[in-house]
Amino acid sequence: MTDAEWAAVRPLLPVPGWMRGRGGQPEAYCHRAILDAVRYLVDNGIKWRAMPADFPPWDRVYAFFRRWRDRALVKEFHDRLRAQVRTRAGRDTEPTAGVIDSQSVKADAMVGSDSRGFDGGKLINGRKRHLVVDTLGLLLGVMVTAADVGDRTAARVLLQRVAEAHHRLALVWADGGYTGSLVKHCLAALALVLKIVKRSDDRKGFVVLPKRWIVERTNAWLMRTRRLARDYERRTTSAEAMVYWSMTLLMTRRLARPHPQRA
């Protein structure tokens, strides 16, 4: 991280338990060095054991990643960054509208058969990332499943999680894969309007569809980090944590840029 990025990130980091009087002891390595190591791994797609020597030992970095994954600290950190980015863009910290979509990616050989499948539509053997983003393309929720899990099946669970975390969310745009009983379920159970954006049959070739392009751009952002170009994680929770880490990297860079109104 640059000094500008660290200045933006440092106040948003979760406070360690030992500083809250909950026991434990201070960590042996600086948070900035640990964060740099995790960001390097996600951005460049290296193995844990291939961590460069100028970072802390790989097992200490992985222990930090595992702790933040299991205690949802990476999500907490991500959500604080998202609130800062939205505020800087002149938006409320809590969104009222979002977009949902899925992305199938190939899985590495280490991914077990219990969490992988074959997506017949895209001919991909691997996993599927289900995303809900706000109108800026920032992540509101992610769920990783086997690639053969249907979009509507996963959306029931994911939209419930997102609606519970973001009480102001009232409208979600989706593509034609989310039609059917899911629309009525969202309205009745979640007080959420699921609006289907369909492609016109009269248009030929590539067409940018309203609102749906937002989540497609987010999918493209994720694929720019090499660790997410293919799913290498044994656990789906680790795969979800990698998505959050990728988005934190993006938002940290945004916050480090000079504010347009102050430039």
Side-chain angles (χ1 to χ4, degrees):
M1 283 182 285
T2 64
D3 290 340
E5 290 175 341
W6 177 241
V9 163
R10 187 174 183 179
L12 305 177
L13 291 175
V15 180
W18 66 271
M19 294 186 66
R20 296 179 178 179
R22 297 188 310 190
Q25 59 183 0
E27 297 179 0
Y29 298 95
C30 172
H31 266 177
R32 181 172 180 175
I34 294 285
L35 288 174
D36 276 342
V38 176
R39 285 158 51 100
Y40 185 88
L41 179 136
V42 174
D43 198 24
N44 293 277
I46 65 170
K47 299 178 181 178
W48 284 105
R49 293 178 182 269
M51 191 71 64
D54 48 350
F55 288 125
W58 76 267
D59 56 339
R60 294 297 87 207
V61 179
Y62 178 71
F64 176 89
F65 169 84
R66 183 179 57 197
R67 183 169 63 254
W68 274 42
R69 176 199 66 195
D70 295 342
R71 299 180 183 178
L73 295 179
V74 61
K75 183 179 183 302
E76 177 184 338
F77 176 47
H78 166 275
D79 291 349
R80 291 176 181 176
L81 284 171
R82 185 189 62 236
Q84 290 290 323
V85 174
R86 287 183 59 86
T87 300
R88 192 174 188 184
R91 308 292 185 91
D92 292 333
T93 56
E94 285 298 323
T96 58
V99 194
I100 187 172
D101 197 13
S102 65
Q103 178 187 45
S104 295
V105 292
K106 293 181 180 180
D108 190 71
M110 69 177 59
V111 176
S113 59
D114 58 332
S115 63
R116 72 187 297 155
F118 185 75
D119 184 347
K122 299 180 181 178
L123 303 180
I124 290 179
N125 185 349
R127 283 178 174 163
K128 186 181 289 186
R129 303 181 189 126
H130 306 269
L131 306 178
V132 179
V133 303
D134 64 9
T135 53
L136 296 178
L138 304 178
L139 191 64
L140 299 180
V142 58
M143 185 170 72
V144 176
T145 66
D148 57 356
V149 175
D151 290 348
R152 283 171 286 189
T153 302
R156 282 178 176 260
V157 179
L158 179 58
L159 286 175
Q160 182 174 353
R161 294 179 185 174
V162 173
E164 291 174 353
H166 305 279
H167 300 291
R168 295 190 61 195
L169 192 67
L171 172 64
V172 174
W173 288 281
D175 62 24
Y178 295 89
T179 55
S181 61
L182 179 63
V183 178
K184 295 182 179 179
H185 169 77
C186 290
L187 189 59
L190 307 177
L192 197 64
V193 176
L194 188 65
K195 187 174 181 179
I196 306 300
V197 181
K198 295 184 177 180
R199 186 178 186 275
S200 174
D201 295 334
D202 300 332
R203 305 291 294 273
K204 295 183 179 180
F206 176 76
V207 179
V208 177
L209 298 177
K211 305 303 179 182
R212 277 174 51 182
W213 67 268
I214 298 174
V215 68
E216 296 293 351
R217 182 183 60 180
T218 304
N219 285 331
W221 287 343
L222 296 180
M223 294 299 283
R224 293 169 70 179
T225 50
R226 292 187 177 181
R227 187 77 182 195
L228 298 180
R230 181 185 290 261
D231 199 320
Y232 297 97
E233 314 307 321
R234 287 191 174 92
R235 300 173 54 176
T236 56
T237 52
S238 293
E240 292 168 1
M242 288 294 177
V243 174
Y244 281 116
W245 276 111
S246 176
M247 292 301 295
T248 60
L249 194 150
L250 171 73
M251 292 187 292
T252 301
R253 290 171 177 169
R254 283 193 183 185
L255 290 174
R257 298 171 187 166
H259 197 285
Q261 297 178 355
R262 299 177 184 174

